[in-house]
Amino acid sequence: MPAPGKHRRPKSTSLSRGLAAVTTGGAVLALPVIGATSAFAAPAPAAAPQQAVAPASAPQANSAAKAAPAKHSVVAGETLSKIAREHSVSGGWEKLYEGNRKIVGENPDLIHPGIKLVLGDKAAASSDDQGDKAAKASPSAARGASADRADRSERIEAAPVAKAAPAAEKAVAYTNDLDGWIKESLAVMAEQGIPGTYEGIHRNIMRESSGNPAAINNWDSNAVKGTPSKGLLQVIDPTFQAYHVPGTSTDSYDPVANITAACNYAADRYGSIDNVFGAY
């Protein structure tokens, strides 16, 4: 019977077998092969590249945020210098104007409420982009914008308020009676600069014709000569023709034409029909 421990192959522990398997396979990692738990520990280092990628996107986001230029919407009463001062624009109002020249126009002293100014270093590029986009979207609008900039210096700073179109002047309707004839005659006389009042005209009409536009004198010296006095103010034809007022009828019996011609004659001879108190 062999002696205990003689010629007996020593038993290898699981740790020894693990070490042997790992080393013969050429792996550089020898420790994580103890038990089942060590088999799931290896994937952990694979997550490291993902962590390294994440920070790389942060500068891009910050860069995008810095690249986006700030904008300011103009309100009534503001000026380029005031805006540049409040927003600490580098280069002052000159730099702000230079970057927004296409939007502001040729006069930096006139900025209209509602326009959007781009602040910062990207102002010029943004202004150009806006102008190009507007031109591409509507050529006619671009031409209109150019024309608007050309005369912008002549406009007031505040946006003009649309004025309502004046209502068409209504034609005055005169009554077809003595009162209406006198009032219409006075309107014509005012346009022609002929003096006279309602009272002066009415007083002489009542004396000459009692208000009858068809009245005619066939018995005085004028009638004997073949030129009888006619109408409301008893005007003979030669006088009517000499003092006829343009725009009125050429018929001496026409009430308005008769009154205005007589008043024109009276103004020439007496200064006004108001100065006539008898035969004239």
Side-chain angles (χ1 to χ4, degrees), residues 97-134:
Y97 173 61
E98 179 183 349
N100 294 275
R101 186 163 187 160
K102 283 193 174 184
I103 301 174
V104 175
E106 297 303 320
N107 190 345
D109 295 329
L110 296 178
I111 57 174
H112 293 274
I115 65 173
K116 295 186 183 300
L117 302 179
V118 182
L119 311 176
D121 297 337
K122 299 292 184 179
S126 178
S127 176
D128 293 341
D129 291 344
Q130 291 182 16
D132 293 341
K133 289 179 181 178

Side-chain angles (χ1 to χ4, degrees), residues 5-216:
K6 290 270 184 169
H7 308 291
R8 185 172 294 179
R9 181 179 298 176
K11 293 184 179 180
S12 299
T13 63
S14 58
L15 176 60
S16 300
R17 289 194 297 271
L19 290 172
V22 171
T23 54
T24 55
V28 291
L29 296 177
L31 293 178
V33 289
I34 305 174
T37 55
S38 62
F40 295 93
Q50 297 179 358
Q51 295 177 356
V53 174
S57 60
Q60 295 177 1
N62 294 336
S63 176
K66 293 180 180 179
K71 291 186 179 181
H72 175 79
S73 182
V74 177
V75 298
E78 287 188 320
T79 62
L80 290 179
S81 60
K82 179 180 178 182
I83 296 171
R85 185 169 57 254
E86 290 180 351
H87 292 277
S88 301
V89 176
S90 177
W93 72 266
E94 295 92 342
K95 186 67 175 179
L96 182 60
Y97 173 61
E98 179 183 349
N100 294 275
R101 186 163 187 160
K102 283 193 174 184
I103 301 174
V104 175
E106 297 303 320
N107 190 345
D109 295 329
L110 296 178
I111 57 174
H112 293 274
I115 65 173
K116 295 186 183 300
L117 302 179
V118 182
L119 311 176
D121 297 337
K122 299 292 184 179
S126 178
S127 176
D128 293 341
D129 291 344
Q130 291 182 16
D132 293 341
K133 289 179 181 178
K136 291 179 180 178
S138 175
S140 59
R143 290 193 295 270
S146 298
D148 178 70
R149 288 193 295 270
D151 65 351
R152 188 175 302 204
S153 60
E154 300 177 2
R155 301 179 185 179
I156 59 174
E157 181 172 347
V161 178
K163 296 181 179 179
E169 186 176 350
K170 295 181 179 179
V172 180
Y174 298 99
T175 56
N176 190 27
D177 55 18
L178 182 58
D179 179 70
W181 300 330
I182 295 176
K183 289 179 179 178
E184 186 174 355
S185 297
L186 286 169
V188 175
M189 290 163 59
E191 293 178 355
Q192 300 294 329
I194 302 171
T197 64
Y198 186 100
E199 189 279 330
I201 295 173
H202 186 271
R203 169 168 45 82
N204 282 284
I205 286 177
M206 297 310 295
R207 185 188 69 251
E208 294 293 333
S209 65
S210 299
N212 178 13
I216 184 171

Side-chain angles (χ1 to χ4, degrees), residues 195-197 200 203-204 266-267 269-278 280:
T197 64
R203 169 168 45 82
N204 282 284
R269 291 290 300 273
Y270 307 102
S272 172
I273 190 68
D274 295 343
N275 300 328
V276 178
F277 292 91
Y280 65 111

Side-chain angles (χ1 to χ4, degrees), residues 220-228:
D220 65 1
S221 58
N222 288 321
V224 172
K225 295 177 181 178
T227 55

